[in-house]
Amino acid sequence: NKTVLQVLEQCIQQFMKEPYFSLVKNDSRFVKLILLRYIAQLSSSQQILDCFQFMYKNHIGRREIKFYYEWCLILEEMR
């Protein structure tokens, strides 16, 4: 059984192969979709943190302030 995070990563990795990915990876709508739709479905703070780390490592959302704000909230919650 795959976790939501594994499915999300596979979808994003497939999407990253598309030539237009570089145009949308920092699009606020794409970042918001990931943050609101997928992260909300993850069950633990560690899974959510893993998702943010995956996004950061793959340069997704790095130009969006909401990305860093939400990441900060998760880190604060884990303290």
Side-chain angles (χ1 to χ4, degrees), residues 62-75:
R62 283 189 174 188
R63 295 183 184 164
E64 286 297 311
I65 200 154
K66 182 147 180 75
F67 170 78
Y68 294 101
Y69 176 76
E70 295 293 333
W71 196 356
C72 179
L73 290 178
I74 293 299
L75 291 172

Side-chain angles (χ1 to χ4, degrees), residues 37-65:
R37 175 90 172 146
Y38 293 103
I39 291 181
Q41 294 180 19
L42 298 174
S43 59
S44 73
S45 294
Q46 185 59 51
Q47 286 179 318
I48 296 170
L49 185 59
D50 291 345
C51 186
F52 276 106
Q53 289 169 341
F54 172 82
M55 290 174 66
Y56 186 81
K57 184 178 93 179
N58 289 286
H59 304 273
I60 300 168
R62 283 189 174 188
R63 295 183 184 164
E64 286 297 311
I65 200 154

Side-chain angles (χ1 to χ4, degrees), residues 16-41:
M16 289 168 63
K17 295 176 185 175
E18 298 297 327
Y20 53 81
F21 180 73
S22 62
L23 300 174
V24 299
K25 70 182 180 181
N26 285 300
D27 185 292
S28 62
R29 295 166 295 183
F30 179 64
V31 174
K32 187 176 180 179
L33 173 69
I34 294 173
L35 293 176
L36 296 179
R37 175 90 172 146
Y38 293 103
I39 291 181
Q41 294 180 19

